[in-house]
Amino acid sequence: AQRVTQPEKLLSVFKGAPVELKCNYSYSGSPELFWYVQYSRQRLQLLLRHISRESIKGFTADLNKGETSFHLKKPFAQEEDSAMYYCALSLGGATNKLIFGTGTLLAVQP
Amino acid sequence: DGGITQSPKYLFRKEGQNVTLSCEQNLNHDAMYWYRQDPGQGLRLIYYSQIVNDFQKGDIAEGYSVSREKKESFPLTVTSAQKNPTAFYLCASGHESSGANVLTFGAGSRLTVL
């Protein structure tokens, strides 16, 4: 069955520390993976997707098919990075169904 | 303000009553989705629609119904058969980009059953 796992409910780091939000997926097809972010009192929005291979707000994520992972990383956390982060898997094809993980709350302490 | 509009923002319902949540988009997106967001459970897919007059069940469709008569609108009805309807409901529309849908979300509707 298709599944997205985010093992950490809460990740607390100090400003300037590196951040890694973990995401693992289970899917027999060709995965299309995303990170969505929800800042306080704002709508859920797309942060980045793996095929873009770009850095958004200093965040990057690399798809590792061997480990079935798509971890989100940032070398130096900022207080404004504090938010809820969701990893999502698109099944693509005819369904274009999008499955989300349970989310990780990132708290960046000053 | 273009995008997705969900209404009402807050809704209270008595047990045994059906309630309909509205979702309207002006982004000209073909796909629309309904998710339920509960603490510790992330977003769970209720229903989704790829095109007008067609929709598919998601992972937790029981006790819910939808319609897609217009491209812009995808209302969700929470029926009395839904055993635990108190939740935060998110609507999204999606546009296809490089083989997958990228979603734009509404602000959500919080339903409380009294």
Side-chain angles (χ1 to χ4, degrees), chain A residues 2 6 9 32-34 36-38 42-46 49 51-52 84 86 88-103, chain B residues 1-6 33 35 37 40-45 48 50 56-59 88 90 96-107:
Chain A
Q2 304 93 5
Q6 293 180 252
K9 288 187 177 180
E32 174 69 44
L33 286 148
F34 302 79
Y36 282 80
V37 61
Q38 189 168 28
Q42 293 188 29
R43 300 184 183 199
L44 191 60
Q45 59 187 285
L46 176 69
R49 60 188 296 189
I51 67 167
S52 298
M84 192 73 174
Y86 290 96
L89 166 69
S90 175
L91 305 188
T95 67
N96 249 317
K97 186 177 174 182
L98 192 66
I99 298 172
F100 284 83
T102 51
Chain B
D1 181 25
I4 299 186
T5 302
Q6 289 187 240
Y33 302 76
Y35 288 89
Q37 189 176 30
Q41 298 195 57
L43 277 72
R44 293 182 292 165
L45 183 62
Y48 60 110
Q50 295 282 70
Q56 290 80 38
K57 292 183 179 179
D59 300 315
F88 189 63
L90 280 172
E96 193 274 335
S97 174
S98 302
N101 276 349
V102 176
L103 268 58
T104 300
F105 282 87

Side-chain angles (χ1 to χ4, degrees), chain B:
Chain B
D1 181 25
I4 299 186
T5 302
Q6 289 187 240
S7 62
K9 191 172 182 179
Y10 299 96
L11 185 61
F12 296 89
R13 183 194 100 177
K14 292 182 180 180
E15 280 194 30
Q17 289 180 335
N18 292 355
V19 62
T20 297
L21 307 180
S22 170
C23 179
E24 304 280 331
Q25 55 107 351
N26 62 4
L27 300 169
N28 199 34
H29 289 171
D30 286 318
M32 295 189 76
Y33 302 76
W34 274 105
Y35 288 89
R36 172 178 169 143
Q37 189 176 30
D38 295 284
Q41 298 195 57
L43 277 72
R44 293 182 292 165
L45 183 62
I46 305 173
Y47 268 98
Y48 60 110
S49 168
Q50 295 282 70
I51 198 168
V52 175
N53 292 322
D54 189 37
F55 48 82
Q56 290 80 38
K57 292 183 179 179
D59 300 315
I60 56 165
E62 185 176 353
Y64 299 98
S65 66
V66 293
S67 63
R68 187 82 188 279
E69 297 177 1
K70 298 186 301 182
K71 187 175 185 177
E72 302 80 17
S73 179
F74 192 42
L76 174 74
T77 297
V78 185
T79 75
S80 56
Q82 168 50 231
K83 296 179 180 177
N84 186 21
T86 294
F88 189 63
Y89 292 89
L90 280 172
C91 179
S93 68
H95 72 277
E96 193 274 335
S97 174
S98 302
N101 276 349
V102 176
L103 268 58
T104 300
F105 282 87
S109 293
R110 184 168 298 281
L111 172 64
T112 302
V113 175
L114 304 173

